[in-house]
Amino acid sequence: MQPLKEKILSEGKVLSNEIIKVDAFINHQIDPLLMKGIGSEFCRRFSDTEITKVLTIESSGIAPALMTALELQVPVVFARKKKSLTLRNHLYESKVFSFTKKEVNHITVSKDYITKEDRVLVIDDFLANGQAADGLMDIVEQSGAHLVGIGILIEKAFQEGGKLLREKGIRVESLAKIASLEDGKVLFVD
Amino acid sequence: MQPLKEKILSEGKVLSNEIIKVDAFINHQIDPLLMKGIGSEFCRRFSDTEITKVLTIESSGIAPALMTALELQVPVVFARKKKSLTLRNHLYESKVFSFTKKEVNHITVSKDYITKEDRVLVIDDFLANGQAADGLMDIVEQSGAHLVGIGILIEKAFQEGGKLLREKGIRVESLAKIASLEDGKVLFVD
């Protein structure tokens, strides 16, 4: 997706061979028009599927998932990384290890909001090792819902998450695939 | 705002005299069309101001803040409750005590994204004791930016946050003001 790639080139900051900071437009400051375009693009790419629910994980997934859900006119659910005090039972639970933050997050989703009748599109900002995607897929599986696919803003194609998911037959649509961050430069796959 | 009030009545769950659960459409599952309407309503209510940035706090503030920012065509920034590993310095910091979660959150915003030239609209889902609003206002003050006002989805008018803010001369626009949650019933101020 060209506008996202251009934004990555102009405002992304390569911090190491593995890490690019996109705080200027995705996960701290958010560019709403870019997110609207991202929502339309996911809607277009998954237009052959019937999605009843968009699932993401707090916090950075919320903006693109919301814009996708708005375009699809379906609800969006975000997995929580902490248990809410007002929502303690009746939960799907899974674990996500964050390589960036070096911590395990227990993620939860209320059983009220994903059920076996749902056809779920998972949305997240990054795909690197695939840990967050695995956790969200685990929750979809526990619910008995059908996973339509996974939509990703930025795939680090030099890490193995995307490859492993596609090998399992899961449809992964990434709007920007980064081949390399070496020498402080962003190189896209295409 | 009528659609929000109707949603609160039909899908909100009163858990105690102080707590109403709105996980079905605001802070776990999100209704995108309702959020779009909320964004338009805030835009309308603050149409006499010139807003350059919307500021909120993760996670539940992101959806309404994003929709408001989309309507205003300005960026949105969400304060983080944890420090990012890729963003450790150059931060405004404040503290927010959550009565619901019984914990202190250190909130941070990068100095890159709120500056003294900004005119900031603060958006949050709930206003009860005003702790989150205070933390966000503290950050706006540190930045030297101008606070245009505060937009709230649900104000618990039986708690004192809104009163205290208005006494300070701060413009607070709440889309649904709850007068009481007693006997398991939602009573609005109007």
Side-chain angles (χ1 to χ4, degrees):
Chain A
M1 188 205 181
Q2 203 53 33
L4 176 61
K5 287 182 185 174
E6 283 167 14
K7 202 84 171 176
I8 291 168
L9 291 175
S10 63
E11 298 188 33
K13 290 207 172 74
V14 179
L15 298 190
S16 73
N17 286 354
E18 279 84 39
I19 298 180
I20 179 165
K21 189 171 127 173
V22 290
D23 280 329
F25 54 104
I26 293 179
N27 48 29
H28 184 31
Q29 179 168 255
I30 303 170
D31 178 335
L33 285 172
L34 178 69
M35 285 299 164
K36 188 167 189 287
I38 284 169
S40 304
E41 180 66 14
F42 281 133
C43 190
R44 191 185 67 75
R45 292 198 187 195
F46 288 98
S47 62
D48 58 321
T49 64
E50 279 175 42
I51 294 158
T52 63
K53 205 140 288 190
V54 175
L55 176 65
T56 189
I57 184 166
E58 63 179 351
S59 290
S60 307
I62 294 175
L66 177 67
M67 288 305 187
T68 306
L70 179 66
E71 191 83 17
L72 293 165
Q73 304 214 9
V74 300
V76 52
V77 177
F78 62 88
R80 290 199 167 116
K81 289 178 181 169
K82 272 187 195 178
K83 285 190 196 179
S84 158
L85 286 197
T86 64
L87 183 80
R88 299 201 81 128
N89 299 304
H90 194 58
L91 295 170
Y92 307 116
E93 298 192 41
S94 193
K95 285 179 191 174
V96 173
F97 179 72
S98 164
F99 284 92
T100 321
K101 299 192 178 176
K102 314 280 181 229
E103 64 183 19
V104 175
N105 284 303
H106 292 259
I107 65 167
T108 57
V109 170
S110 164
K111 291 184 180 175
D112 287 340
Y113 306 128
I114 307 276
T115 68
K116 65 181 193 320
E117 284 74 32
D118 276 316
R119 295 175 55 83
V120 179
L121 172 63
V122 166
I123 297 281
D124 205 7
D125 56 345
F126 275 99
L127 174 61
N129 295 288
Q131 299 285 322
D134 282 347
L136 292 172
M137 288 194 309
D138 181 21
I139 281 172
V140 174
E141 199 173 311
Q142 288 175 46
S143 74
H146 176 72
L147 177 73
V148 162
I150 300 180
I152 296 292
L153 273 58
I154 303 175
E155 179 177 341
K156 293 178 181 172
F158 55 87
Q159 290 180 334
E160 63 179 356
K163 184 170 161 281
L164 293 175
L165 290 172
R166 292 182 183 98
E167 281 174 3
K168 286 185 199 163
I170 292 158
R171 178 167 172 187
V172 183
E173 294 280 351
S174 301
L175 303 187
K177 281 188 204 174
I178 295 177
S180 160
L181 294 171
E182 281 171 34
D183 304 323
K185 279 183 197 152
V186 181
L187 210 69
F188 292 109
V189 166
D190 323 311
Chain B
M1 188 206 181
Q2 203 52 34
L4 176 59
K5 287 183 184 172
E6 284 167 13
K7 203 83 170 176
I8 291 168
L9 291 176
S10 64
E11 297 188 35
K13 291 209 171 78
V14 179
L15 298 190
S16 73
N17 286 353
E18 279 83 38
I19 298 180
I20 179 164
K21 189 171 126 173
V22 290
D23 280 329
F25 54 102
I26 293 178
N27 49 27
H28 184 31
Q29 178 168 257
I30 303 169
D31 177 335
L33 285 171
L34 177 69
M35 285 298 163
K36 188 166 189 286
I38 284 168
S40 303
E41 180 66 14
F42 281 132
C43 192
R44 191 184 67 76
R45 292 198 187 196
F46 289 98
S47 62
D48 58 322
T49 65
E50 278 176 41
I51 294 158
T52 64
K53 207 141 283 189
V54 176
L55 175 65
T56 189
I57 184 167
E58 62 180 350
S59 290
S60 306
I62 295 175
L66 177 67
M67 287 305 186
T68 307
L70 179 67
E71 191 83 16
L72 293 165
Q73 305 215 7
V74 300
V76 53
V77 177
F78 63 88
R80 289 198 168 117
K81 290 179 182 168
K82 273 186 194 177
K83 285 190 195 178
S84 159
L85 285 199
T86 64
L87 181 79
R88 301 202 79 129
N89 299 304
H90 196 55
L91 295 171
Y92 307 115
E93 299 192 41
S94 194
K95 286 180 190 173
V96 173
F97 178 72
S98 164
F99 284 91
T100 322
K101 298 191 178 176
K102 315 281 182 229
E103 64 183 18
V104 175
N105 284 303
H106 292 258
I107 65 167
T108 57
V109 169
S110 165
K111 291 184 180 175
D112 287 339
Y113 306 128
I114 307 274
T115 68
K116 66 180 192 320
E117 283 74 32
D118 277 315
R119 295 174 55 83
V120 179
L121 172 63
V122 166
I123 297 280
D124 205 6
D125 56 344
F126 274 99
L127 174 61
N129 294 288
Q131 299 285 321
D134 283 347
L136 292 171
M137 287 194 307
D138 181 22
I139 281 173
V140 174
E141 198 173 312
Q142 288 175 46
S143 74
H146 175 73
L147 178 73
V148 162
I150 300 180
I152 297 291
L153 274 57
I154 302 174
E155 179 178 340
K156 293 177 181 172
F158 56 86
Q159 291 180 335
E160 63 178 355
K163 185 170 161 279
L164 293 174
L165 291 171
R166 291 182 184 98
E167 280 173 1
K168 285 185 201 163
I170 292 159
R171 179 166 171 186
V172 183
E173 294 280 351
S174 301
L175 304 187
K177 281 188 204 173
I178 294 178
S180 160
L181 293 171
E182 281 170 34
D183 303 323
K185 278 183 197 153
V186 181
L187 210 70
F188 292 109
V189 166
D190 323 310

